[in-house]
Amino acid sequence: MASLPETEVKTLTLTIDGQEVTVEPGTTVLEAAQSVGIDIPTLCHDPRLEPFGACRLCLVEVEGGRAPMPSCALKCGDGMVVHTRTERIMKLRKFVIELLLSYHPLDCPVCEAAGDCRLQDYAYEYGVAVSPWGWHPLEFDTRDDHPNIARDPNRCILCGRCVRICREVMGIGCWGFRSRGYDTIIDTAYNMPLEAVDCVSCGQCVSTCPVGALNMKRSRFGARNWQTEKTMTVCDYCAVGCEQEIQTFRGELVRVKAPTGEGVNAGNLCVKGRFGMEYVNSNERLIAPLVRGEDGLLAPTTWDDALARVAEGLKKAKAAKGVGVIASARCTNEENYLLQKLARTVLGTNNIDSGARYNQAAAVATVGKVLGYPAMTNSVADIVEAEVLLIAGSNTTEEHPVLALQLVKAAREGKELIVVDPRRTDIARRASIHLAVKPGSDAVLFAAMLKHIVDSGLHNKDFIAAHADGFEELVESVKAVTIEAAADACGVPAADIKSAAELYAKAAAASIFYSAGLTQQHNGAAAVTALADLAVVTGNIGRAGTGVNGLAGQANAQGACDMGCLPDYLPGYVALDDAEAVKTVEAVMGRVSDKIPGQIIGSMLQGIVDGQIKALYIVGENPAISEPGAAVVKEALEKAEFLVVQDIFLSETARYADVVLPACAITERDGTLTSTERRVQRVRKTMDCLEGAKADWEIVLAIANELGAGWTYTSPAEIMAEIALAVPTYAGISYERLEQGGIQWPCVDAEDDGTPILYTEGFPGGRASLAAIEVSDASVADIAAGNGFSLLLTTGIEREHFGTGTRSRRAAGLTGLVNEGRLEINPTDATALGVAPGDRIRVTSVSGSIEPVAVVTAGVPQGLVFMPQHYVEAPATALFPAQVDPVTAVPLLKAVAVKVEKA
Amino acid sequence: MVEETLDLAPLQDVLEEYKQQPGAIIPVLQKAQAIYGWLPPEVLDAVARGMHVPVSRVYGVATFYSQFYLERRGRHTFRQCDGTACHVRGAASIIEAVEKRLGIQAGETTPDYRVTFEVVYCLGSCGLAPVAMVDDQVVGHLVPSKALEILDNLE
């Protein structure tokens, strides 16, 4: 494949305080100094932001220059001679600090930032005890009503970092400078509450405040920065894989930070990553195994008793060939590997599936088939190289907020965003073209784009000839497609389809992002496959800023699939009918007795109803709420002869269990998670395991040994060593190496640094296999209503919550923001139905009925209503019949006909 | 107070004129104020949208410069100078008389939006002290009775 030409990188050499420093052009003097350990004080600087040059602390002298210059904004020049600590500079810095201390309150004893405050540090370092101008404290009185973000403008030094991070990084702009001179204050427009000015409660402003003007309200007066123990780990909500610094005090989580520059998130976090981890402290955590007694109630028991019962129940079901296992896309690779090993080598079944079924598992039969690997092709870091970004079925700023920062940045820089989504989501508002397609018509749209690209001769003929098979068949499959008919079917202008196709095909680098909005949609597999086709046909693959980037939902959805928590694939995506490859895995893992693919989650539940499945072992998933077909799910969970649920809380599913096994939270155990960009990263034990609970891997191990497996693992590291043997793409990964940072698979040996971008050297099968685009007839029309069900309901994730809310609904930092299921409805529909904002309404489908609260917004088009999936009191999934995509077996949760009425 | 709906159409013309100049918040606000007499929240919102900047930024600019008014103004503005020369020649008694007659303090607007009364510091016409500016007219050698007469004659 085309490799980048070797460009000559010219470097510059300058002298800073007598030290020679060689840097790349564009480097600032501040960065150059920091790179050789020369410390220059800064207040208004944050590497996440553009230089501002306001605080005047980072002044340096350049030989030959007249006035001191702010090093944060000063670019290095070749041969420059810089002095950072001359007498003049030190005097100027001291002067600045004295000015700040002329009004900054000296309330350090009660300030949350004490010990973590730049001004405090510098006042001490520069020996400023009192300001020579006396002390004239500010007396601002302003609102401080955000549940998580505490404000004290009297401590503010007006560095503007909060203002800039909200504008530059978040692309929002809640904060601004108000007034002038002594009256200047950082405020929202009109001093409105943050909720009223599009604040997404990410706390990025808090994270950048160098003093105590903005701080985390919920951890105030908890423990100061220096009192806490700090451990680097990875967030366990979505799959972006943000690094977190968990701070604990006396064994409890106090606050979460993200060190600047570290990891994929480079110091950024979203509302869940920053304020959503408190669930680990919840007093609802399970602290003893529970067994269902003769009175039908769950009662605490000992681990020995619980494990014996589990072993007995599973053994009995195994004899009847009726065991099913559901793994968690939130658990670690090690835990998932062990669990599927338990299923396959001890329980003798391939009935193993995971929460990745809800989205990520779709990659296997779609992009995996076309390209080779069922995974995101590129990395978060190279999104910046894309000129055109096609984002389909992904409400990215809410579902993958930190990855979305790259998309927001691209839009700010004038890159072209093409967003395909029936709703006018935040990212859609930032797009050059928003294709508000009718639900289920995405595949038709992509087929039309493909047709237009080929008809216009915009396809990359050389690339196709060199790297892809199946082009003729693909063209044949879209032969009958016309732009006009597609425009009609999709409900978008034909001109927009053409523009989108041309923009995408003509870009020097164009990348594609998709998520559950496609995979859970009717014709989802066809849509995702078509996206992979589009990338190959235009040669937008194998380079920075290109690719087909499926965004995984849960933190380890990618890993759960990699580890073989799939009914039809062993670890490393080894198909059960690939005898040779199966033998290789068996040599590491042990004999896989059954070579027939097992059942997905929905089929296992149906299997219980039908009597084939007797026992179900569920780890960390909550199908009682997450699965469509509520009636079947309920019947199955009630009818199961033996149900074991392992979780950190008594989830809605656990309430049906015969045995409940209490697990450790993610902060209490070691392991690895594989992020959406294939990055295998360490999660680390940050606190002792809650007494009475055990780590998931220890529980699986204990069950296996209770069943006579004789496993001897003593640590997750040891399990990873076995994974490296079983899964070729993980072969070079070890805990020792992961200490230096995450590694992106494929990582084939100990010398391999991993693979940020797939297919740079070609496709693993030699060539890409373009797939014909097949849109089933039973698609859009089928979803549309009957029975007076005149609206279509779609579901999704909202920013503040996750999954079925088991964790997020137990984090006060999130429930304080949103804690109620809300249905979004278009103003015209609302008026027609007599529904006012805030009304309790009843939403009914053929499958059930829920009663959320109405939010009236033009963000949803007429005819469509939207409801997040996180509310057990109003579970949106309960309105969907048990239906899966015929190709990927992903449950369809994006379009069902409903009626809405006032409750 | 009568609620009036704001016609944003004239503002759209201004925004159209400046849409290629991302930094032109100040002239846009000046023209907007020339249209509406002050800068109501709807106007700041529309300017923010039209200029593709957060409303917090437009608000920041509008609050930085004293030339921008974020509160509705009277149809007339009475600016009494209380600079050194005027102060010495009795501006204080004029201010007191005007405040009493209008029933408002300096810096405020009458509830019927007839007059906004301001005290300023030097209009640069010290030879005429005490001096005031009534709308765009300079009026010199004022005494309280004359000031009140002028006030009463404002429609």
Side-chain angles (χ1 to χ4, degrees), chain A residues 61 436 732:
Chain A
E61 283 195 274

Side-chain angles (χ1 to χ4, degrees), chain A residues 16 103 202 205 288 307 337 563 567 651 761 795 803 856:
Chain A
I16 306 177
Y103 67 87
C202 59
C205 52
L307 289 170
Y337 175 81
M563 293 305 109
S651 68
E761 312 287 333
T795 67
V856 178

Side-chain angles (χ1 to χ4, degrees), chain A residues 163 167 172-181 187-192 197, chain B residues 39-42 44-45 54-61 63-66 70:
Chain A
V163 175
R167 288 180 192 169
I172 303 173
C174 298
W175 298 119
F177 290 91
R178 189 185 82 199
S179 298
R180 181 176 42 158
D187 202 357
T188 57
Y190 298 100
N191 190 26
M192 282 192 288
V197 293
Chain B
L39 296 172
E42 302 92 303
L44 290 197
D45 278 344
V55 69
S56 64
R57 176 153 166 71
V58 181
Y59 182 75
V61 172
T63 54
F64 186 90
Y65 296 101
S66 57
L70 291 168

